[in-house]
Amino acid sequence: HWHIKYLDNPVKALIYAQQLHSLFPSNYFFSVKYLEAAYRTENKILAKQLIGKIQKSKHPFYNFCADAIAGVINTEKSSYESAKKQLSPLMQQGSLLPFETQDYLCYMYLHLGKLASKEQLWEEANYWYLKVSKEAEYSHFKKESTFYLSKQNQKSLKNSSNP
């Protein structure tokens, strides 16, 4: 948890999360942290296996966490509009849960920001990156959104200074 959220070291997080998951296979909190580490290290096969396991949980928070990362993985090759359409109900659900869901919402916000930016939909990209910068606790979310927003700010300044 610490290595993902604050130190931005998903490789080390994966090692520790795998150990905890092995010792406590029915602990869904550890499974979710293992899922995050697998996703962040781009181990999609492991992530999909963990998503399937976590989705069997009867707990709405753990199901939401798995669904959020599954939604991002499943829309990686989608257009911005298609991904937004698929993720919007999930984002609404997450915002209504009585749990701390902003970390998992930020996975989706960042993903939508990336897709919008890739399609040069600057207003939409700015919207999602601003949401990430305001709501994120994870250091990698903050780094990525700050980098994008500063890059966009530089472009705006450059364009406004040219006659």
Side-chain angles (χ1 to χ4, degrees):
H1 176 68
W2 189 260
H3 287 284
I4 285 273
K5 193 165 190 166
Y6 302 109
L7 300 179
D8 193 20
N9 189 339
V11 173
K12 196 168 248 184
L14 184 67
I15 293 165
Y16 291 127
Q18 190 276 327
Q19 291 170 350
L20 287 169
H21 180 73
S22 294
L23 290 170
F24 306 99
S26 3
N27 183 314
Y28 286 105
F29 179 80
F30 292 148
S31 296
V32 166
K33 295 305 164 190
Y34 192 27
L35 167 59
E36 280 188 78
Y39 172 71
R40 289 282 318 283
T41 56
E42 298 183 19
N43 188 337
K44 302 274 173 41
I45 294 169
L46 176 59
K48 287 178 180 181
Q49 290 170 350
L50 291 165
I51 288 166
K53 177 188 186 254
I54 296 165
Q55 287 174 330
K56 293 176 185 164
S57 159
K58 301 291 184 226
H59 196 284
F61 174 72
Y62 299 126
N63 286 333
F64 172 75
C65 297
D67 291 347
I69 293 177
V72 170
I73 290 171
N74 293 337
T75 59
E76 283 180 339
K77 292 183 177 24
S78 299
S79 70
Y80 167 74
E81 284 301 325
S82 175
K84 182 179 168 191
K85 186 176 180 179
Q86 291 178 55
L87 295 176
S88 288
L90 192 53
M91 290 185 290
Q92 184 176 5
Q93 173 198 353
S95 65
L96 297 174
L97 286 173
F99 308 105
E100 291 290 322
T101 59
Q102 78 266 19
D103 296 335
Y104 302 94
L105 287 167
C106 282
Y107 274 110
M108 292 184 280
Y109 300 160
L110 188 63
H111 176 61
L112 289 171
K114 288 176 184 178
L115 290 176
S117 175
K118 192 165 90 176
E119 294 179 28
Q120 299 182 355
L121 301 169
W122 307 125
E123 279 186 47
E124 291 87 344
N126 284 340
Y127 172 80
W128 294 112
Y129 280 107
L130 278 170
K131 262 182 107 53
V132 170
S133 72
K134 289 176 185 172
E135 296 182 28
E137 289 185 16
Y138 282 28
S139 61
H140 76 277
F141 288 149
K142 287 185 177 289
K143 270 191 239 173
E144 193 158 344
S145 63
T146 301
F147 177 75
Y148 172 83
L149 292 168
S150 68
K151 193 168 72 171
Q152 283 304 105
N153 192 32
Q154 288 172 354
K155 280 183 186 176
S156 297
L157 290 173
K158 186 178 176 184
N159 291 339
S160 67
S161 65
N162 290 336

